Amino acid sequence: MSKVEQSTKLDLERIIFIGRTFEEYLDMFSLSEEELKGKKILDCPAGACSFTAGGNKAGLDVTACDIAYDHSFEDLKNKGLQDVEHAMESIQKAKNKFKWNYFKSIEQLRNHRIRALQDCALDMSKSRERYIPATLPSLPFDTEQFDMTLSAHFLFMYGDRLGYQFHIETLNELLRVTKEEVRIFPLVDLEGKRYEHLDKIKEYLAMNGCRVEEVNVSYEFMENANCMLIIKKG
């Protein structure tokens, strides 16, 4: 690898490569396979989630993008296995901050995370064209290329390190590449508190012609993380 190529890639050690399963996505975003048929869907940022793998296996048209996809699927899989174990250790220490209804135990949670990672890595090895490297707030897609965009565990969750302006620029870009609607989950930060600028963002989106709605969902693992934002373009 040349020095130029190295300089454009994010150091793999700085990436947390962990993800959710296809079934979790349906629950997080209150969706069914039937609703998604015939739509072009973007998962952004997708990380090690298996929504793209599971969706395309089910006959859906899903594309994933993430800053991590510049790296090989083997490197990402190995990093992901390390990150899963680190995450399990952290969750074990803070078990009282989570609700153990969806997942009954740490072991069941670990199995879901590893399955998501393995399914993602396998699909990436076979269909690399579905996994597009991208660094928000800029996306390498055409305007309104997708009918729906799903964005999980990124915006709002890292409100302490991603500023308000970054949120606005990212939302504008997600809306640019999306024809119908963007869904974001969850609406809380890493401490389980509602994102402090959420109302301000909703007002901004409404002023720019979007219909915005907070919707409770059946999925809740981290306490208070049981609500998504649906942004419909006018």
Side-chain angles (χ1 to χ4, degrees), residues 163-177:
Y164 172 77
Q165 190 57 38
F166 177 86
H167 278 74
I168 291 296
E169 290 174 7
T170 297
L171 284 166
N172 284 338
E173 185 70 346
L174 294 178
L175 286 163
R176 180 188 70 79
V177 303

Side-chain angles (χ1 to χ4, degrees), residues 62-100:
V62 187
T63 298
C65 71
D66 196 279
I67 193 172
Y69 296 159
D70 260 329
H71 297 274
S72 74
F73 62 87
E74 277 298 333
D75 287 347
L76 289 173
K77 182 179 178 181
N78 292 334
K79 178 64 165 59
L81 290 171
Q82 296 173 19
D83 288 344
V84 167
E85 292 311 314
H86 178 72
M88 294 309 104
E89 291 173 10
S90 299
I91 290 170
Q92 181 70 54
K93 293 174 183 176
K95 283 186 73 173
N96 62 331
K97 291 185 178 180
F98 299 87
K99 291 197 171 185
W100 297 93

Side-chain angles (χ1 to χ4, degrees), residues 24-42:
E24 283 180 86
Y25 260 62
L26 296 183
D27 292 335
M28 287 189 300
F29 292 107
S30 288
L31 291 167
S32 67
E33 288 185 34
E34 284 300 316
E35 289 177 85
L36 298 175
K37 284 183 178 176
K39 293 183 181 294
K40 289 180 67 68
I41 308 149
L42 175 66

Side-chain angles (χ1 to χ4, degrees), residues 124-140:
M124 193 182 295
S125 71
K126 294 178 177 179
S127 305
R128 189 69 194 230
E129 72 279 1
R130 294 175 184 159
Y131 297 84
I132 311 299
T135 304
L136 288 166
S138 179
L139 294 174

Side-chain angles (χ1 to χ4, degrees), residues 88-115:
M88 294 309 104
E89 291 173 10
S90 299
I91 290 170
Q92 181 70 54
K93 293 174 183 176
K95 283 186 73 173
N96 62 331
K97 291 185 178 180
F98 299 87
K99 291 197 171 185
W100 297 93
N101 299 320
Y102 196 92
F103 302 108
K104 305 301 182 185
S105 65
I106 291 283
E107 191 57 33
Q108 187 185 45
L109 174 64
R110 177 188 283 109
N111 290 339
H112 271 73
R113 295 290 173 265
I114 290 176
R115 178 162 64 89

